[in-house]
Amino acid sequence: MLHHLMIGTWTPPGAIFTVEFDDESLSLKLIKKTTIPHDEPISWMTFDHTKKNIYGASMKKFSSYSVVSSTEIVHHASHPIGGHPQASSSDSNTRAIFVLAAKNAPFNVYGNPFYKYAGYGNVFSVNESGGLESNIQNYEYSPDSAIHGMVFDASETYLYSADMWGDKIWTHEKDSQTGHLTLVGSLSAPSAGDHPRWVEIHPSGTYLYVLMEAGNNLAVYVIDKRTHMPVFTHMTYPVVPPGLNLKMYRADVVFLSHSSRYLFATSRANSFDLTGYISAFKIGPAGNVERQLFLQPTPTSGGHSNAISPCDFSDEWLALTDDHKGGVEIYRFHEEFLARVARLDIVDPGFGMNAIWYD
C-alpha cells in the first residue's frame, strides 16, 4: 500500500514536500514539491479533522492551505502573529512555532509564537471550507512565556501548554460554543530550568506526559479530576542515556501511537558530531507508563527537528525527520522493536520539519 506524507521547512524559501512510502517495497520517494509564499516556511504543520486543510506555523504568520490531493495543495490565507505588538514585527525574533487544530466545532485553530514577545496564544476561526478566517482571541500566558507545544484532552474541554521559557505547564478551559480559552492555572516545572517543551495526553484524560527540553526527561503527571490541573507523580524517564552531558542535548517531541498503547519521544544533539535519540514506552490501559522499552540513537543529531510522527492508522509505521542532513525516514515498530526501513534525503534549505500522514 502507498502512503503519502507532507513535510515543511525551517527556513525560506517556503515549500511543502509530498513524499510517498510504499509499505511493500519499503521505499520512499519525493513526488511533489509545492512552492508556497517565500517567507512563510512551515516549521510545524497539522491537518484539520478532515485532512482537507493544512495549518502551518510560518515564521511571522499562521497559514492555511487547501488539500485537494496529495499533490495539489493550494495556499488559502496567512495571518500575522497576534498578541504583543512587536511579535509580528520584522525587527523582532518572534516566530510562529506551533499550531493545533480543534477536532470539534467550531474547529478553531490555536497557535503559539516563540522567542521574544511570545506571551500570548493566538486563536483563529475558520470558514466553511476550513481555511483560516480571522484572529478571534489573543489569550495571555505571561510576559516571559514561550510556549512550544499544546494538547487538548479527549473532550477538547481543557488545553495543556508547555512553556519552555516560563518553566511552567498551563491549563486553559475552552468554551464549547466560541472556542475561546480562559485560564484555569499554571504549575511550575519539577526543577528550575527543566524547560517543558512538549505535552501529550492519554485518551482517558488521566495521564499527561510532559517532555522537558533541558531536563532531557519525560515527566509523568496525573490530571486532578476536580481542578483539571496536572499533578506531578515524581516519575521521570530519561530521553538521552544516563551519564551524558545534558547540555549537549535537547528533548524534542512526544506522541502516542495510534492505539495509545505506546508512547514515543525524541531528543536532539547540539553538535553534528553527536546523535539524537528515540525512546519508546509501554502504556497501560489507564495511561500509566508501565516501562521504558528502549532508548536508541537516531542517524543524525536531528538539527532543529528529529520529530517523530506515528502514523494514525496503526502502530506499525513512524516517520522521523531531520534538518541536520535534510531527510525523512520510516521506521517499523514490530513486537516492541524499532527498525529503520527507508530513508529519503532531500537537499533543500531547511528540510525537514515534522511529517504529517495524509493516507
Side-chain angles (χ1 to χ4, degrees), residues 30-105:
L30 175 66
I31 61 169
K32 181 68 179 292
K33 175 184 176 180
T34 300
T35 299
I36 64 175
H38 181 277
D39 294 329
E40 297 180 25
I42 301 176
S43 59
W44 190 266
M45 65 172 65
T46 191
F47 283 119
D48 69 356
H49 62 292
T50 65
K51 293 191 177 181
K52 293 181 179 178
N53 293 277
I54 288 174
Y55 305 117
S58 309
M59 294 288 286
K60 291 292 184 179
K61 304 283 184 67
F62 290 100
S63 56
S64 62
Y65 295 81
S66 299
V67 181
V68 181
S69 69
S70 60
T71 56
E72 189 176 351
I73 302 169
V74 182
H75 180 234
H76 168 262
S78 298
H79 295 267
I81 297 171
H84 195 287
Q86 290 297 315
S88 60
S89 169
S90 60
D91 295 328
S92 72
N93 70 347
T94 317
R95 70 177 289 165
I97 203 73
F98 181 75
V99 63
L100 178 68
K103 296 179 180 179
N104 298 330

Side-chain angles (χ1 to χ4, degrees), residues 44 70 116 136 174 181 188 200 202 219 232 262 277 293 305 316 321 324:
W44 190 266
S70 60
K116 291 183 179 179
I136 60 171
K174 189 187 85 169
L181 299 174
S188 295
E200 176 67 297
H202 192 263
F232 183 42
Y262 300 97
Y277 290 88
L293 297 174
S305 189
E316 188 173 11
T321 51
H324 171 167

Side-chain angles (χ1 to χ4, degrees), residues 214-284:
N216 281 292
N217 63 58
L218 179 76
V220 181
Y221 291 75
V222 292
I223 302 298
D224 185 304
K225 292 185 177 181
R226 181 181 62 84
T227 66
H228 303 283
M229 291 279 291
V231 178
F232 183 42
T233 64
H234 296 274
M235 296 173 60
T236 62
Y237 297 86
V239 294
V240 299
L244 296 181
N245 180 1
L246 293 186
K247 292 183 179 179
M248 294 303 297
Y249 298 90
R250 295 169 295 149
D252 191 39
V253 300
V254 58
F255 285 106
L256 285 162
S257 68
H258 173 67
S259 70
S260 299
R261 294 173 56 210
Y262 300 97
L263 184 74
F264 296 92
T266 55
S267 61
R268 302 155 295 166
N270 291 331
S271 167
F272 283 178
D273 295 329
L274 302 173
T275 69
Y277 290 88
I278 302 177
S279 300
F281 305 86
K282 181 69 176 293
I283 304 300

